[in-house]
Amino acid sequence: MIAPTPSALDATGLLRLVYASTCVCGIAERDVRDILARSKENNFVLGITGMLCWSGEFFLQCLEGPRRPVTRLFSKIASDPRHADVELIIAAPTQVRWFDRWAMGFTRDMMSHGGDVRATNAAFNPYALQASDLLELFERLSQSAQPM
Ligand code: FAD
């Protein structure tokens, strides 16, 4: 029997989770910066990576990492009063991290990376998109967005 390599062991049990939510009234750029700063610190410790998209009206986030920390973090995020209508869209096992460069990447400019995902940035509505479109969007973001 061939022993698994460290990278193969690391990939075992990874979960990719994508959810959409609606910003509460009055959320500002400063609040999102606070969320990002906290996310980067916490996620690094937990071994979680991902990308947060903010359209001004909606959030769309991809989290990836070991299953238990990701599901626990999602429960915490879902009860955060800074957003509402949290809708879990994708929770799927994966062997690869798309965002291994970022504890939490960030973009406001989803559509310039999203290619043929049918929406404009101004009208971006993550609830209206298919799960497959969202996966495509995040895969493209992982290739083209710059770490912040
Ligand atoms: P602290 O930062 O000390 O916060 C303690 C408590 O205060 C928490 O209950 C928090 O919800 C609340 N709180 C803090 N600031 C505010 C505020 N300005 N308004 C209202 N309540 C506040 N956290 C991560 O660790 N990783 C992520 O990837 C992540 N993504 C997020 C995405 C979105 C869209 C949102 C809205 C939040 C996200 N958060 C994320 C934040 C998360 O919901 C928790 O606030 C955070 O994880 C708590 O961090 P902490 O345990 O270090 O506590």
Side-chain angles (χ1 to χ4, degrees), residues 2-87:
I2 300 169
T5 62
S7 61
L9 283 172
D10 183 49
T12 305
L14 286 181
L15 180 70
R16 176 171 297 118
L17 189 151
V18 174
Y19 74 86
S21 65
T22 305
C23 306
V24 297
C25 187
I27 196 158
E29 195 140 356
R30 198 170 135 259
D31 302 304
V32 179
R33 270 207 300 270
D34 289 347
I35 290 170
L36 259 184
R38 174 59 66 206
S39 301
K40 285 177 182 173
E41 283 180 24
N42 290 349
N43 296 2
F44 179 78
V45 172
L46 295 170
I48 293 174
T49 49
M51 170 69 69
L52 178 65
C53 305
W54 178 48
S55 69
E57 185 177 2
F58 301 112
F59 287 115
L60 177 67
Q61 190 175 30
C62 175
L63 299 167
E64 52 187 26
R67 192 174 68 194
R68 228 181 143 99
V70 168
T71 53
R72 285 182 173 181
L73 175 62
F74 175 66
S75 300
K76 191 157 81 164
I77 293 172
S79 60
D80 192 306
R82 290 168 284 189
H83 62 168
D85 293 332
V86 178
E87 185 176 315

